[in-house]
């Protein structure tokens, strides 16, 4: 982990999870472990103790909802959805019923019972082989600490109010609640002993723009407070007492980053067009109506994916038609005449309806989710479709169905849409009679029947995340097999090309809204495979546009034609990297430093 660098630099290595460079003094923070008291209850005291537990759970839930609302306002709905996992703990009847049983059976106080049961659950999760599930221990630890804080009447979380200058935090771990309260005027970045790319603290650090490195084992033993250090969130390094040469190298890196940001600002208001004049619209993915400002700021040419499930999750009842209409209308009218593609509910898998209790599923990603759920809940689905239709009168709205596996699902969805149109006509409510409907291509079966789907669609959007996951049978959140999640796998490229060929035969346009669209290295390959539009998170849009404006379509097609003949995913990736680096070196030089 530790290595001796030039001129006595001490370099600690970990996992880079949030890019950026920070220089300053370290601040070692260790969570104060307060002993949880235990006392015995008389039989007549048990009802009051259960009531005290319930009040603590209600207070914790309200506290988490307040945090979630603040995160939504500052970072967006996707980051705020991280706290859905915390709220789930408070609704876990198995856990809570066991706490109640311990209180009744052992006649002990609520904080002791809750702590004992939670520790047992966390120990079980920590033994799970799946890295993603192990990371959820931090979520449960966060919730447990909050509940115990309410029961014991003490403060919760990380207190940095005493700091006099900005610092690099060094800790064993940071919970999501710790991370969201980090004040950028006092915190330059953070390093933790444990964690991974999938940890919620890492995700929030990226949203906050704080450099972060995790997985630096024994960093608490290696580092003391007030040591001058350099944190490299690009390469996963913490350099203690950096030399002048190292500071110079990183100064150059920062200057390259500033130069890149200036170049990116120049393309914000420019169209996506290749050097040989081919238009490539670059759109944005959003989660809520408030994200429309980010769409305008990043120079996106519309919304390629409006995720609507965030209107539904973590609430006792589904949103009413008028509430949904107002959210969709706001985006459509603000961006008019730019297109806004609204994806119907993609619930299930890792997202759920708190008001809809689903049966426990062995394979939720293969189960009752997305279009399957919607077609079996036609009343709920109709409410959303009517809201989308009404919003289409205010702008260029399109409807997109997720997780289509075959023709029957697409036809059923379109038939329900037609019935909703008839209802609105009868009510005299306006909508776009020519509204376009499209299918998401994210299941291999959809690719194989893409010709039939194309005859009943107006456009395709390839969801590369699920397409790769389902095709390669790889859970990319499982670090033991994450190396098998290969976007340049020859099978994936052939599936994409099969989709674009079916669309070309029917005169349809094809977009990509998965993570491949936000990776500059893969953009030329996608365009060469026949993709017409790209949609990515707003912060990535300028980078994608910058690259598109520096390549030629004939080069992209040559790359794709060559890639379709290859057998090695890594060889294809190397060729993609070469093309992208040659076309836009500044995009990649900002991360490179020798130390």
């Amino acid at each position: 982990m530790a290595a001796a660098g030039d001129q006595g630099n001490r370099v600690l290595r970990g996992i880079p999870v949030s890019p950026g460079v920070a220089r300053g003094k370290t601040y070692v923070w260790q969570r104060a472990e307060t002993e949880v008291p235990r006392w015995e209850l008389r039989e007549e005291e048990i009802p009051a103790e259960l009531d005290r537990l319930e009040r603590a759970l209600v207070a914790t839930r309200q506290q988490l909802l307040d945090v979630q609302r603040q995160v939504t306002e500052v970072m967006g709905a996707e980051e705020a959805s991280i706290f859905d996992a915390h709220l789930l703990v408070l609704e876990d009847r198995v856990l809570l019923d066991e706490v109640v049983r311990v209180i009744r059976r052992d006649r002990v106080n609520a904080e002791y019972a809750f702590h004992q049961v939670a520790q047992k659950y966390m120990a079980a999760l920590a033994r799970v082989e799946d890295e993603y599930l192990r990371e959820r221990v931090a979520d449960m630890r966060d919730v447990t600490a909050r509940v115990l804080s309410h029961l014991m009447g003490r403060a919760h979380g990380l207190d940095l109010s005493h700091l006099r200058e900005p610092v690099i935090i060094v800790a064993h771990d940071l919970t999501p609640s710790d991370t969201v309260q980090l004040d950028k005027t006092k915190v330059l970045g953070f390093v933790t002993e444990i964690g991974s790319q999938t940890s919620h603290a890492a995700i929030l650090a990226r949203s906050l723009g704080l450099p972060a490195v995790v997985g630096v084992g024994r960093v608490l033993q290696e580092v003391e407070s007030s040591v001058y250090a350099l944190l490299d969130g690009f390469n996963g390094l913490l350099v203690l007492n950096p030399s002048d040469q190292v500071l110079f190298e990183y100064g150059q890196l920062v200057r390259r980053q500033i130069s890149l940001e200036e170049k990116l600002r120049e393309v914000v208001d420019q169209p996506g067009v290749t050097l040989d004049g081919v238009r490539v619209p670059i759109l944005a993915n959003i989660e809520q109506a408030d994200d429309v400002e980010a769409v305008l700021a990043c120079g996106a040419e519309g919304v390629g994916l409006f995720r609507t499930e965030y209107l539904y999750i973590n609430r006792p009842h589904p949103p009413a038609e008028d509430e949904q209409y107002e959210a969709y209308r706001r985006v459509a009218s603000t961006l008019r005449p730019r297109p806004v593609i609204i994806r119907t509910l993609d619930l299930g898998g890792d997202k759920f309806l708190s008001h809809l209790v689903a049966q426990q599923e062995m394979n939720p990603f293969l189960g009752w989710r997305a279009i399957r759920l919607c077609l079996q809940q036609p009343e709920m689905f109709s409410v959303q479709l009517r809201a989308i239709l009404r919003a289409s009168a205010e702008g260029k709205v399109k409807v997109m169905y997720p997780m289509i596996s075959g023709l029957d699902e697409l036809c059923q969805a379109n038939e329900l849409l037609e019935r909703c149109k008839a209802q609105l006509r009868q009510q005299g409510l306006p909508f776009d009679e020519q509204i376009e409907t499209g299918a998401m291509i994210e299941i291999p079966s959809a690719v194989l029947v893409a010709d039939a789907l194309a005859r009943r669609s107006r456009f395709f959007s390839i969801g590369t995340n699920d397409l790769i996951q389902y095709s390669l049978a790889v859970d990319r959140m499982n670090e033991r097999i994450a190396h098998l999640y290969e976007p340049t796998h020859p099978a994936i490229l052939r599936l994409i090309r099969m989709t674009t060929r079916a669309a070309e035969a029917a005169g349809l346009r094809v977009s990509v809204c998965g993570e491949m669209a936000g990776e500059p290295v893969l953009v030329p390959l996608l365009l060469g495979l026949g993709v017409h539009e790209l949609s990515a998170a707003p912060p990535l849009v300028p980078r994608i546009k910058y690259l598109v404006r520096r390549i030629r379509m004939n080069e992209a097609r040559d790359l794709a034609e060559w890639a379709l003949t290859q057998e090695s995913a890594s060889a294809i990736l190397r060729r993609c990297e070469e093309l992208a680096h040659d076309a836009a070196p500044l995009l990649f030089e900002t991360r490179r430093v020798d130390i």
Side-chain angles (χ1 to χ4, degrees):
M1 178 200 66
D6 294 338
Q7 301 180 22
N9 299 310
R10 291 185 61 212
V11 182
L12 309 182
R13 302 181 185 276
I15 304 168
V17 296
S18 184
V21 175
R23 290 172 290 183
K25 290 183 179 179
T26 57
Y27 172 67
V28 177
W29 177 70
Q30 299 193 53
R31 195 180 306 278
E33 295 295 339
T34 304
E35 183 176 353
V36 178
R38 181 188 188 280
W39 65 83
E40 294 186 3
L41 304 171
R42 297 190 302 272
E43 184 68 30
E44 62 271 20
E45 293 177 317
I46 290 177
E49 194 68 8
L50 295 176
D51 184 61
R52 193 166 74 92
L53 172 64
E54 183 63 29
R55 289 198 305 273
L57 294 173
V58 170
T60 302
R61 179 179 177 81
Q62 186 57 55
Q63 191 178 57
L64 285 169
L65 288 171
D66 290 342
V67 170
Q68 190 174 53
R69 186 183 64 254
Q70 294 166 10
V71 174
T72 299
E73 293 171 354
V74 175
M75 301 183 208
E78 185 167 11
E79 287 77 10
S81 70
I82 284 171
F83 290 92
D84 290 332
H86 295 57
L87 291 163
L88 259 187
V89 175
L90 298 175
E91 297 173 2
D92 186 341
R93 292 316 313 174
V94 175
L95 181 147
L96 298 179
D97 288 347
E98 186 171 350
V99 174
V100 171
R101 279 197 300 272
V102 171
I103 293 174
R104 291 184 183 279
R105 182 192 66 209
D106 300 342
R107 295 184 181 180
V108 292
N109 53 306
E111 46 265 77
Y112 182 80
F114 195 96
H115 180 258
Q116 292 299 306
V117 173
Q119 288 295 319
K120 183 174 73 173
Y121 272 60
M122 286 187 279
L125 271 178
R127 291 193 295 268
V128 173
E129 292 186 1
D130 189 295
E131 180 66 26
Y132 181 77
L133 291 178
R134 287 205 303 271
E135 286 292 350
R136 304 292 73 81
V137 172
D139 299 333
M140 191 160 190
R141 185 182 300 116
D142 197 348
V143 176
T144 300
R146 286 184 181 276
V147 174
L148 293 178
S149 295
H150 285 293
L151 286 169
M152 298 168 64
R154 55 182 172 82
H156 171 77
L158 174 61
D159 181 12
L160 302 177
S161 59
H162 63 286
L163 294 178
R164 296 182 179 179
E165 61 180 329
V167 296
I168 297 170
I169 291 181
V170 179
H172 174 69
D173 190 21
L174 292 178
T175 67
S177 293
D178 295 329
T179 309
V180 297
Q181 66 176 300
L182 297 180
D183 183 347
K184 292 181 70 173
T185 65
K186 294 183 177 180
V187 177
L188 301 169
F190 66 80
V191 184
T192 61
E193 288 189 322
I194 64 174
S196 73
Q197 286 277 358
T198 64
S199 69
H200 284 160
I203 294 169
L204 291 169
R206 291 192 287 271
S207 297
L208 286 166
L210 284 175
V213 178
V214 303
V216 186
R218 296 182 56 81
V219 69
L220 292 178
Q221 285 71 45
E222 298 278 352
V223 181
E224 298 178 349
S225 289
S226 299
V227 174
Y228 189 73
L230 183 146
L231 177 63
D232 176 0
F234 292 113
N235 301 294
L237 307 177
L238 179 69
V239 185
L240 304 178
N241 297 312
S243 66
D244 290 342
Q245 179 61 32
V246 168
L247 292 175
F248 172 78
E249 291 286 343
Y250 276 96
Q252 294 290 94
L253 184 147
V254 171
R255 277 190 284 276
R256 291 196 297 268
Q257 184 68 30
I258 293 172
S259 177
L260 172 62
E261 290 173 358
E262 291 174 350
K263 294 291 185 182
L264 295 181
R265 281 194 292 270
E266 293 175 2
V267 305
V268 164
D269 296 324
Q270 300 296 318
V273 57
T274 64
L275 290 173
D276 45 358
V278 178
R279 283 282 285 116
V280 181
I282 316 295
L283 299 91
N285 299 338
I286 66 172
E287 284 82 36
Q288 60 175 356
D290 288 343
D291 293 339
V292 72
E293 301 303 327
V295 175
L296 294 171
C298 74
E301 298 175 62
V303 170
L305 171 61
F306 187 163
R307 301 182 178 98
T308 60
E309 54 272 14
Y310 295 100
L311 287 166
Y312 284 74
I313 58 178
N314 191 38
R315 54 187 300 163
H317 304 288
E321 180 179 322
D322 284 347
E323 180 184 348
Q324 294 189 60
Y325 161 69
E326 179 55 34
Y328 308 149
R329 182 207 62 78
R330 178 180 168 192
V331 175
S333 61
T334 302
L335 294 179
R336 185 172 49 192
R338 302 177 184 90
V340 175
I341 300 176
I342 300 177
R343 183 179 70 185
T344 60
L345 287 173
D346 186 8
L347 289 163
D350 58 345
K351 301 180 290 293
F352 50 87
L353 285 164
S354 57
H355 63 273
L356 192 65
V357 180
Q359 182 179 355
Q360 187 77 20
E361 295 183 305
M362 290 293 293
N363 295 297
F365 282 92
L366 304 179
W368 197 50
R369 57 169 296 202
I371 198 66
R372 301 168 179 178
L373 182 152
C374 289
L375 292 176
Q376 291 183 36
Q377 299 286 320
E379 292 186 7
M380 181 184 71
F381 194 24
S382 295
V383 169
Q384 181 178 40
L385 292 177
R386 284 195 299 268
I388 295 172
L389 285 168
R390 289 171 58 191
S392 70
E394 304 290 338
K396 191 176 181 181
V397 170
K398 303 180 183 182
V399 182
M400 182 164 68
Y401 307 122
M403 205 180 174
I404 293 293
S405 62
L407 186 58
D408 285 347
E409 291 168 340
L410 178 60
C411 290
Q412 290 177 47
N414 280 335
E415 287 169 7
L416 187 56
L417 184 69
E418 291 302 319
R419 290 201 292 273
C420 291
K421 288 181 179 180
Q423 293 170 3
L424 294 180
R425 291 190 197 100
Q426 189 174 18
Q427 294 175 280
L429 295 174
F431 64 91
D432 179 6
E433 289 280 0
Q434 304 302 318
I435 188 170
E436 296 184 12
T437 60
M440 284 200 72
I441 307 298
E442 48 191 343
I443 299 177
S445 64
V447 176
L448 297 175
V449 296
D451 54 345
L453 298 177
R455 290 191 288 271
R456 281 85 170 178
S457 303
R458 298 287 296 278
F459 65 92
F460 283 161
S461 184
I462 302 176
T464 52
N465 299 2
D466 276 342
L467 183 61
I468 297 169
Q469 176 173 264
Y470 290 135
S471 300
L472 303 182
V474 173
D475 176 3
R476 62 196 177 119
M477 296 301 184
N478 184 334
E479 292 196 353
R480 298 185 70 177
I481 58 171
H483 64 283
L484 300 175
Y485 184 90
E486 296 179 299
T488 55
H489 191 292
I492 301 303
L493 305 191
R494 293 172 192 178
L495 289 170
I496 293 173
R497 187 61 187 125
M498 288 172 65
T499 302
T500 59
R501 280 181 178 149
E504 289 165 4
L508 271 58
R509 292 182 66 81
V510 180
S511 68
V512 171
C513 59
E515 289 187 7
M516 281 183 74
E519 177 50 66
V521 164
L522 301 178
V523 164
L525 180 61
L526 290 174
L527 299 182
L529 289 169
V531 171
H532 305 98
E533 300 177 0
L534 302 166
S535 189
L540 300 176
V541 168
R543 292 174 176 266
I544 303 308
K545 191 183 293 187
Y546 180 82
L547 179 65
V548 166
R549 291 176 59 85
R550 280 159 179 77
I551 63 172
R552 288 181 171 81
M553 188 58 76
N554 65 325
E555 295 174 331
R557 291 180 181 132
D558 289 344
L559 171 66
E561 184 177 347
W562 171 84
L564 289 169
T565 67
Q566 299 303 300
E567 300 176 347
S568 168
S570 57
I572 296 171
L573 179 59
R574 284 194 298 272
R575 184 76 170 266
C576 291
E577 290 172 340
E578 289 172 5
L579 193 157
H581 284 230
D582 289 344
L586 193 58
L587 276 180
F588 308 98
E589 289 176 353
T590 53
R591 292 173 176 256
R592 201 164 54 213
V593 66
D594 296 322
I595 184 172

